[in-house]
Amino acid sequence: MPSPVSYTLKGKVGVITVDNPPVNALGHPVRAGLVAALDQGLADKQAEALVLIAAGRTFPSGADVREFGKPPIPPILFEVINRFDAATKPVVAALHGTALGGGLELAMGCNYRVAAPGARLGLPEIKLGLIPGAGGTQRLPRVIGIEPALGMILSGDPIPAAAAKQAGLIDAVIDGDLEAGAIAFAEGVVAQPLPRIRDRTDHLAKDDRAPLTAKRAELAKSAKHLVAPQRAVDAVEMVLDVPFDEALKREREMFLALVETPQSKAARHVFFADREAARVPGIPAETPTRTVKSAAVLGAGTMGGGITICFANAGIPVTVLEADAKALERGLAGIRKNYDSLVERGRMKPEERDARLGRIKGTLSFDDLAGADVIVEAVFEDMAIKKEVFSKLDTVAKPGAVLATNTSTLDVDEIAAVTKRPGDVLGLHFFSPAPIMRLLEVVRGKATAPEVMASGMSLGKTLGKTAVPVGVCFGFVGNRIMLRYALEAELLLEEGALPQDVDRVLREFGLPMGMFGMVDLAGVDVFYFIRQHEMKHRPKDAERLPRILDRIAQQKRYGQKTGAGFYRYEGRTALPDPAIEALIVEESKRLGINRRTISDDEILRRIVAAMVNEGARVLEENIAYRPSDIDVIYIHGFGFPAWRGGPMFHADLVGLPKILADVEEFHRRHGERWKPSSLLARLAAEGKSFASLQGR
Ligand code: NAD
């Protein structure tokens, strides 16, 4: 195999070119090739300086993902960079595309860096629960200063070439041909003494620990659960008092230790899970999708208004239909208010708002929907109304239009069946607030055509969403699992816990909000409505449901919007309410339950086990295609901490036999709702994990 790295002498400058499509990842052949080409350049008597450049679309942006989790084959990147750092001729790294992670670390091992105007530079390791492990934490602060380096390392976000030039991270921005510019630059520095980042101290005021202390204090609040950010600060701190080579060694040890942490494993899992979610089993990636150049939305309420905004934001003209003039005016005013508030907060330019509003048209006539490529229905959650609306849509929508419902709980197949084109119908389940929440469940009905499903997934991407394919059942994947553990949370109240106990435990676990805080935010009435619906449809012999939520709703305590729900509110601050405690105690008494102290551990085990057992059922029934899809849904739609990798990944880490033992214990104590999922039981018995179902 020819090496992916070549060496060519061009005049007095030796050019080392990495050519490892698609993204010039720093896999083993590239690393070995770099060392060989460097040796060749250093030995080449005619070369007075060297340029390191990449072919194709980008400078290397980090490791080869295929090497993840495998033992590294030498030379490791750290050694390669040391070789460049020790070069006896000036080396100029020429960057284009994205110089990220190991790529930027390699560039910082060179004497000079130049970049194309569109290049972006960054150290994104933190996003995988890691720190840069090949000198990044030691070289970056030496080039741009401790505080800016902490900013880049802790955010993981790249900066554009112009900002990199201003910060001193690169020496020149090269307009025009990058290689020619880099060669010219190299020729200009041949006579200079060799600058090395390792020798620089100009940005390091002795004992200036203030930015480090400030960052630590900030992290204690914003990222208290996370290990990698703390390690990153520790690593950067070494620039003040640890000799360079020793610091590199320790940085690498810290990096290797982080690779083994559950948090980094979780982050890597989420990285792959996000990508995998885009694939729909049985529908090849090359399946043609229908072009969406125009859209329509039915209903301009909470969701319809938000979905309309999603289309307008993506540059797609959208017609929104309401039942009457008053509702339409209210809906459009809501949309306008949403944009105005962005402008007021300086998040959007007035011209941009006007452009987006210009894409939105209101109507009362179904005839105006005839031209839309996709129509999303978001009217009341009522089967009769949905059926009526879809029958009408069937008569006006153009052939080939994708017809979607945003229903949360209703049967997509039943809705599709009222049309003469059920193959064109699917669910597009947005989450509230639709313009902000990244999750989109793309619901595949029995009759949904593969092409329509593929179109729904692709539309999700166009709208900037993480689209996850799911099947039809009450609540689909996200809400179905949520309703299961919400029920468990409410039953815990009957047994002895209080809302603030359950919520505290969930927040400590890493959720941004507890269960009851979430119910209060979404609306107690919304949950009450769902429960009423459930009561109508559940079998006669089903287990009794708790009444606490019902009683709170009946008092019109709908949550934050009415100033009281499971909590009372001062502004947005939730405060425990003695009236609710009294109500809960009264319910326990009515049921003859002796209230007991429930430990935090039991609360967590009950919620997690309920989540995982229901997740396993959802998999068993093929409503979710992969355990990792449930994780993606929970991270992007329900605030499940990404650093825990999602509920199913978390279950694997805890160990399925342990989760199953919890489920079985609760089954004995609390009855049939805890019947263990057969999938969970089988995996636990076979010593397997959910991950084993994914073949990775
Ligand atoms: P909403 O009550 O805020 O809005 C519904 C809108 O539909 C109202 O403005 C109403 O005037 C309009 N409407 C009713 N009948 C109509 C008709 N025949 N033609 C045209 N417009 C009509 O309700 P929402 O919260 O926006 O929910 C809408 C749908 O989205 C429901 O199916 C709901 O289950 C689903 N959903 C809601 C949420 C949420 O958090 N609110 C999240 C995901 C999905």
Side-chain angles (χ1 to χ4, degrees), residues 407-545:
T407 180
S408 305
T409 54
L410 300 175
D411 185 340
V412 175
D413 294 327
E414 201 180 327
I415 296 173
V418 303
T419 70
K420 288 189 204 70
R421 39 177 140 176
D424 290 345
V425 179
L426 83 175
L428 288 178
H429 186 218
F430 291 79
F431 287 73
S432 179
I436 292 172
M437 296 296 285
R438 265 185 63 188
L439 178 63
L440 178 71
E441 287 181 330
V442 181
V443 189
R444 184 179 191 175
K446 276 198 198 77
T448 307
E451 187 188 316
V452 170
M453 191 62 195
S455 303
M457 296 295 293
S458 142
L459 175 64
K461 205 168 163 193
T462 308
L463 299 181
K465 305 291 175 200
T466 299
V468 186
V470 301
V472 176
C473 71
F474 186 85
F476 312 118
V477 173
N479 283 338
R480 169 164 162 187
I481 296 175
M482 186 268 289
L483 289 169
R484 173 65 192 94
Y485 67 81
L487 171 68
E488 208 53 37
E490 200 181 337
L491 289 161
L492 280 163
L493 301 185
E494 283 183 351
E495 289 171 43
L498 290 173
Q500 53 271 32
D501 300 326
V502 176
D503 284 1
R504 183 192 64 249
V505 170
L506 292 178
R507 280 196 310 269
E508 277 167 10
F509 180 73
L511 285 151
M513 208 174 228
M515 188 67 231
F516 298 107
M518 204 271 272
V519 172
D520 274 359
L521 180 68
V524 182
D525 50 331
V526 174
F527 281 77
Y528 181 54
F529 179 79
I530 295 174
R531 169 137 325 147
Q532 297 294 304
H533 177 87
E534 204 183 339
M535 298 279 248
K536 260 189 253 156
H537 293 88
R538 66 206 309 261
K540 289 266 171 308
D541 58 347
E543 267 179 272
R544 74 169 180 84
L545 290 172

Side-chain angles (χ1 to χ4, degrees), residues 153-387:
I153 293 169
L154 289 172
S155 73
D157 295 332
I159 59 171
K165 170 76 176 68
Q166 199 168 15
L169 180 52
I170 58 176
D171 302 286
V173 176
I174 302 219
D175 292 307
D177 187 73
L178 180 63
E179 186 185 276
I183 291 174
F185 185 96
E187 285 165 351
V189 296
V190 165
Q192 309 280 330
L194 290 182
R196 288 207 171 88
I197 289 177
R198 63 154 63 216
D199 302 327
R200 283 179 62 171
T201 52
D202 48 316
H203 282 298
L204 308 179
K206 200 87 197 116
D207 283 334
D208 180 12
R209 285 174 213 274
L212 297 153
T213 314
K215 263 299 172 222
R216 283 205 173 93
E218 196 185 308
L219 289 172
K221 288 202 203 108
S222 66
K224 66 173 174 200
H225 296 285
L226 303 184
V227 185
Q230 294 166 24
R231 282 299 93 75
V233 180
D234 294 346
V236 169
E237 186 168 26
M238 292 194 293
V239 297
L240 289 175
D241 45 22
V242 181
F244 188 80
D245 288 318
E246 171 62 19
L248 283 193
K249 218 177 102 216
R250 286 198 215 164
E251 179 206 58
R252 178 153 174 79
E253 283 163 11
M254 285 182 182
F255 167 84
L256 290 174
L258 283 169
V259 170
E260 296 304 320
T261 56
Q263 291 190 0
S264 177
K265 287 182 181 160
R268 272 135 52 198
H269 165 73
V270 176
F271 176 88
F272 288 113
D274 272 340
R275 277 152 189 78
E276 223 157 300
R279 292 193 305 112
V280 188
I283 302 186
E286 57 279 6
T287 304
T289 56
R290 296 187 184 168
T291 315
V292 174
K293 290 222 170 82
S294 63
V297 175
L298 295 183
T302 312
M303 293 310 290
I307 296 166
T308 301
I309 290 175
C310 291
F311 280 113
N313 287 355
I316 300 172
V318 49
T319 303
V320 52
L321 177 138
E322 257 295 348
D324 59 58
K326 224 166 128 195
L328 180 61
E329 185 38 48
R330 194 173 49 229
L332 291 173
I335 291 171
R336 224 171 292 125
K337 204 169 134 208
N338 195 298
Y339 278 123
D340 284 344
S341 106
L342 289 172
V343 171
E344 276 157 29
R345 284 180 287 150
R347 301 252 185 94
M348 189 180 283
K349 296 219 170 75
E351 307 83 270
E352 187 55 41
R353 167 197 58 196
D354 297 344
R356 293 185 192 195
L357 280 171
R359 293 182 196 122
I360 299 171
K361 219 181 88 199
T363 186
L364 297 173
S365 161
F366 270 78
D367 293 337
D368 287 340
L369 312 184
D373 296 318
V374 58
I375 304 180
V376 184
E377 166 281 310
V379 304
F380 297 135
E381 185 76 341
D382 178 317
M383 186 50 102
I385 303 183
K386 303 256 188 215
K387 281 185 171 170

